Amino acid sequence: MSNALQLPIIDLASPDRFSTANSIRQQACIDHGFFYLVNHGVDEELVKKVFEQSSNFFSFPIEEKMKLAIKNHRGYTALYAEKLDTTLTTKGDSKETFYVGPLADGLNQWPLEEDLPSWRSTMETYHQKVLSAGTKLLSLIALSLKLDEDFFGKVGALNEPLGFIRLLHYPGSGDLDSSSEEVYGASAHSDYGMITLLMTDGVPGLQQICREKSKQPQVWEDVPSISGAFVVNIGDMLERWTNCLFRSTLHRVLPPRQERYSVMIHPFAVYA
Ligand SMILES: O=C(O)CCC(=O)C(=O)O
Ligand SMILES: [Fe+2]
């Protein structure tokens, strides 16, 4: 059973930072653990390019993609290679992924410039822009917790290494082996960092369980996308740091009928 959720919308450019911080605290982080972020400063054209480049890469033959197979947490993982809900006995999640990590340490793997011109520069620009939006959001989250705006910077949560981009591709059901197994695009999980900023191509599939992870029966609710807005969710680390005031909620992606692309970044304090 599922219903569509009405999630709060947070305006990152609002001049009334204290009222925005109050909405972040109550509606966004306590009531839902999920919210939309608008006026975030990441250009629509850039997002469009990221989706185009993502589709260009995933359309390569598997042998080409495997040349960039994951190393040091960067690069390609194939269809069914990951299973976010490890209690499932199914073969794996029906998605393929490409990870781009922090830019400064030189560990990223990149497609060749002659194969995919501007691929690397597009992802690098996106990485920087989303981190900058995420940093602004964290200062509002600090205010919402009655802390100084620069609290997270001061405790080192914004230090390197920062931020992994995950490009995701969920093939449509017509491109998958039909089997009786219950396979998810991304099986149920919560995210591990502080916050996740997700952009999708608008194809539905994402669902969330509100608030209580352990409550039975589990009621899954659709998280519709809003064009141009990030879907932000609270991760386990921020749940822990707020002594469970803010909720890191369970979510999953149903196997989409048509193919689906998304891109997310878990920006902060992944290793802190
Ligand atoms: O693709 C999506 O909409 C969300 C995927 C997700 O939650 C994840 O990979 O952590
Ligand atoms: Fe997730």
Side-chain angles (χ1 to χ4, degrees):
M1 188 177 100
S2 77
N3 311 301
L5 273 171
Q6 302 264 320
L7 295 173
I9 299 178
I10 301 298
D11 180 351
L12 194 57
S14 163
D16 190 349
R17 294 174 62 73
F18 285 94
S19 125
T20 310
N22 280 337
S23 310
I24 288 185
R25 178 187 176 87
Q26 190 59 48
Q27 288 103 11
C29 297
I30 297 181
D31 294 347
H32 290 281
F34 260 73
F35 57 96
Y36 299 106
L37 187 69
V38 297
N39 291 325
H40 42 65
V42 183
D43 193 52
E44 228 174 280
E45 273 307 300
L46 176 61
V47 173
K48 205 169 135 215
K49 267 206 225 154
V50 167
F51 278 96
E52 274 164 17
Q53 293 285 27
S54 172
S55 156
N56 291 342
F57 174 78
F58 288 120
S59 66
F60 278 7
I62 183 73
E63 316 75 72
E64 289 302 311
K65 291 186 279 195
M66 288 309 285
K67 288 183 185 160
L68 298 176
I70 193 149
K71 245 193 295 176
N72 299 310
H73 310 288
R74 332 291 172 93
Y76 176 70
T77 65
L79 203 58
Y80 306 121
E82 293 183 340
K83 188 162 58 175
L84 294 175
D85 179 354
T86 49
T87 64
L88 293 178
T89 53
T90 50
K91 59 185 162 187
D93 294 344
S94 63
K95 64 164 193 291
E96 47 182 352
T97 310
F98 194 94
Y99 290 77
V100 177
L103 304 179
D105 59 17
L107 293 174
N108 280 316
Q109 306 198 67
W110 302 106
L112 294 175
E113 187 66 21
E114 62 254 40
D115 292 340
L116 290 174
S118 306
W119 204 92
R120 175 176 179 167
S121 57
T122 303
M123 297 309 160
E124 287 180 334
T125 308
Y126 188 72
H127 196 281
Q128 285 155 350
K129 296 278 179 190
V130 186
L131 280 189
S132 149
T135 305
K136 285 187 198 143
L137 176 58
L138 275 188
S139 65
L140 283 170
I141 289 181
L143 277 184
S144 84
L145 290 165
K146 318 260 183 277
L147 299 167
D148 292 342
E149 288 193 55
D150 56 354
F151 173 81
F152 289 113
K154 282 203 257 168
V155 298
L158 311 183
N159 292 354
E160 292 286 339
L162 279 181
F164 275 75
I165 292 180
R166 296 179 355 112
L167 300 169
L168 302 176
H169 174 224
Y170 304 87
S173 50
D175 293 324
L176 296 172
D177 302 339
S178 52
S179 82
S180 52
E181 273 192 320
E182 193 185 29
V183 171
Y184 289 95
S187 44
H189 65 283
S190 56
D191 292 348
Y192 46 78
M194 289 177 78
I195 50 174
T196 299
L197 276 72
L198 169 78
M199 194 61 86
T200 81
D201 62 0
V203 175
L206 180 62
Q207 296 189 318
Q208 179 215 18
I209 286 191
C210 254
R211 284 190 67 93
E212 306 296 336
K213 279 184 224 179
S214 50
K215 198 172 157 200
Q216 295 293 339
Q218 295 186 324
V219 178
W220 288 97
E221 300 184 277
D222 293 330
V223 180
S225 49
I226 295 185
S227 176
F230 282 112
V231 174
V232 180
N233 63 289
I234 303 301
D236 299 341
M237 186 172 288
L238 198 51
E239 178 179 270
R240 182 70 193 87
W241 281 357
T242 58
N243 286 333
C244 297
L245 177 69
F246 289 1
R247 293 305 174 120
S248 166
T249 49
L250 271 187
H251 53 283
R252 69 183 183 187
V253 178
L254 298 176
R257 256 177 240 135
Q258 73 189 91
E259 74 176 335
R260 178 176 187 271
Y261 291 87
S262 64
V263 52
M264 75 184 55
I265 185 158
H266 305 290
F268 304 101
V270 172
Y271 305 121

